[in-house]
Amino acid sequence: APTTGVPTPVSIGSRSGSGERQWPMEPTEQPFSIRLTRPGAGGTSVGVPGVTVDWEPDATSPCHLGGGSELGPRQVLTDAEGVSTVAARHGMSSCRAYARFRNLHGELFLSPAEMRKEVELEPYGSIFTVVNDARVTGASGVPGLGVLARLPPPVAMANDQYHRMSFVVGCAVVSFDNNGFLSVLAGSVTECGFSGDGGPASAARLSNPQGITFAVTNNEDFLYIADTGNNRVRRVDMGTGAITTIAGGGTSAGPGFGDGGQARAATLLSPHHVAVVTGVLYVADNGHDRIRKVDLATGVISAFLSPGGCSGKGLGLVGCDGRSCSLANDVGSVLVGATFCGNAVGGPTTAIVNVYSDGTMTHVAGSATGTTAEGAAGTQTLITGDVFVGSDFHVYYAEPALHRIREVSTFDGVRTVVGRGLAGYGPEYGPAATAVRTPSKVLTSRMRWSAGSA
């Protein structure tokens, strides 16, 4: 550093200027670098070594700095060439970090010199891995960054009101926040069983859970879990973290299995999917071949669709609770996907029906003698894979044998949204419709996610 009392200008910069942007950043770590220089002889620039640079993630779109899962700042000295470098990794959104240093003459310090480092994600319709970038089955990395985790394939997913994703792996519900960080909401990835009612959900045990959904009731956030192996539906208060059983666990037998009474005294058998619409919890009671509903205000359970209407097998379930839905605007209606919904609405194959609050049904998609052609109308489409119904009221389903994910809407009919008919994995960060994937199912709403195998 200069020893005179007159400050020597020191500038901060990089190869691409004062606001370097990388687009896109891959899940693997990439460096953010800056260089401090001062004027040298003959108009040259000389690197300034040994200066502490404060790397700080932006509060609204942070990067993970320093190669770890923490979001805090990092301090990195400049090297002999005046370069300070920090490892960076983005989460689920664009990320931004600032490199700052103080003027070398502290007594004349006016303000930090800074440079912004920014990462943009690929545009809508792109595909990239956010959990288990190495595609290795295991049970590690929770809590931690999703791309570094080693987890079993997820079997169910849902988004909360803040668009944060959660998914079921093993016997746990795992949260994936907008910074790409994983944490356990309920259960354990490796330990199954039944315990924990009345206590913290993260210490409870679940058994083979198959469905989850989030709902806001009286300004309180709740997570509902189809605890399939325990024949229950359990609820987590997201404010307190406590878990309780809300339906199932009883011994009621007979045709109604407890219908008309309290849901906790009723009998469920292998519940797979849950949804909450206008204060009503809908449960795909798959083992009893029916869909049931629970009035959340009174706790009373009753039949919604019995075997004559829908079997409930392979069911995807979502309701229209006042949002503008593309297939129905009837408040309280529920869009249901099942392997059999009666001969009048599709025959013995996967079919999708919209069930209105007055009990009437409209056939939306699925036909026993349908086609797989691109652009075909939903009611003429042969749906062969597991179904998911998005909150946009579009139908999504996987075709593992054909290595693609397809969407059915009333506007465009059926179209391929992921995959091009080839087995394998790749490429990342490109259009999803041209990628190579072997998906097993479509799993969530609002944003489109899929579970696949390499």
Side-chain angles (χ1 to χ4, degrees):
T3 57
T4 66
V6 179
T8 300
V10 176
S11 61
I12 187 171
S14 70
R15 293 184 181 88
S16 59
S18 62
E20 184 174 6
R21 173 177 293 181
Q22 300 183 37
W23 184 87
M25 176 181 278
E26 297 181 2
T28 52
E29 290 177 351
Q30 291 182 310
F32 278 169
S33 297
I34 58 94
R35 186 171 187 244
L36 298 183
T37 60
R38 60 180 176 82
T44 61
S45 295
V46 179
V48 182
V51 176
T52 298
V53 175
D54 294 314
W55 289 92
E56 183 175 342
D58 182 78
T60 58
S61 55
C63 296
H64 298 273
L65 301 177
S69 60
E70 299 177 2
L71 291 173
R74 295 288 186 271
Q75 290 186 334
V76 183
L77 293 175
T78 56
D79 61 17
E81 301 298 322
V83 177
S84 174
T85 301
V86 66
R89 183 189 294 271
H90 74 84
M92 279 304 300
S93 59
S94 300
C95 78
R96 190 175 300 119
Y98 296 92
R100 295 185 172 96
F101 79 103
R102 292 174 178 251
N103 189 297
L104 296 183
H105 297 271
E107 67 276 8
L108 299 176
F109 168 76
L110 297 177
S111 63
E114 68 177 41
M115 189 182 78
R116 186 176 70 181
K117 311 288 287 188
E118 188 172 356
V119 170
E120 295 286 347
L121 292 185
E122 287 276 12
Y124 181 81
S126 299
I127 187 168
F128 52 93
T129 300
V130 295
V131 176
N132 195 2
D133 184 42
R135 302 183 296 281
V136 176
T137 299
S140 65
V142 183
L145 280 171
V147 288
L148 299 179
R150 304 290 181 264
L151 296 172
V155 298
M157 295 186 189
N159 290 329
D160 65 13
Q161 63 172 325
Y162 305 107
H163 292 211
R164 294 173 301 200
M165 180 178 71
S166 294
F167 55 93
V168 176
V169 287
C171 287
V173 180
V174 176
S175 173
F176 182 76
D177 67 22
N178 290 331
N179 297 317
F181 193 79
L182 295 174
S183 59
V184 173
L185 285 181
S188 166
V189 175
T190 58
E191 296 182 19
C192 304
F194 177 76
S195 66
D197 270 3
S202 57
R205 292 296 177 263
L206 310 172
S207 179
N208 193 32
Q210 295 291 307
I212 56 174
T213 192
F214 289 90
V216 178
T217 304
N218 296 326
N219 295 319
E220 293 182 299
D221 292 339
F222 294 102
L223 164 66
Y224 294 83
I225 306 169
D227 194 357
T228 306
N230 287 318
N231 298 317
R232 289 168 166 85
V233 175
R234 302 173 78 180
R235 182 169 73 178
V236 178
D237 185 322
M238 298 299 291
T240 65
I243 188 171
T244 56
T245 294
I246 192 170
T251 58
S252 298
F257 305 103
D259 283 351
Q262 288 296 301
R264 291 191 62 178
T267 300
L268 302 176
L269 185 58
S270 297
H272 268 61
H273 298 268
V274 286
V276 175
V277 185
T278 60
V280 177
L281 167 68
Y282 294 88
V283 183
D285 191 2
N286 277 12
H288 289 142
D289 291 328
R290 63 194 63 202
I291 299 170
R292 302 167 79 180
K293 63 180 182 178
V294 179
D295 187 320
L296 294 175
T298 65
V300 174
I301 190 170
S302 59
F304 177 65
L305 289 177
S306 61
C310 269
S311 71
K313 302 289 188 181
L315 177 127
L317 189 63
V318 71
C320 182
D321 57 5
R323 298 185 301 271
S324 176
C325 301
S326 61
L327 295 181
N329 291 313
D330 183 44
V331 174
S333 65
V334 178
L335 201 61
V336 175
T339 55
F340 180 71
C341 285
N343 291 328
V345 288
T349 185
T350 298
I352 312 299
V353 295
N354 192 40
V355 186
Y356 297 92
S357 55
D358 62 3
T360 58
M361 295 190 295
T362 301
H363 183 200
V364 175
S367 172
T369 58
T371 176
T372 60
E374 200 84 359
T379 54
Q380 300 172 358
T381 300
L382 177 64
I383 300 176
T384 57
D386 283 349
V387 170
F388 182 84
V389 182
S391 62
D392 54 5
F393 267 47
H394 290 188
V395 176
Y396 299 92
Y397 64 97
E399 292 185 330
L402 297 175
H403 314 292
R404 62 187 180 183
I405 292 173
R406 311 193 81 192
E407 173 192 33
V408 180
S409 76
T410 55
F411 305 108
D412 304 316
V414 62
R415 70 186 185 101
T416 300
V417 292
V418 177
R420 53 189 176 96
L422 298 176
Y425 189 90
E428 293 275 51
Y429 290 97
T434 63
V436 176
R437 291 292 189 275
T438 305
S440 59
K441 59 179 65 178
V442 185
L443 294 173
T444 194
S445 60
R446 291 194 182 96
M447 303 169 72
R448 299 169 187 168
W449 307 85
S450 67
S453 56

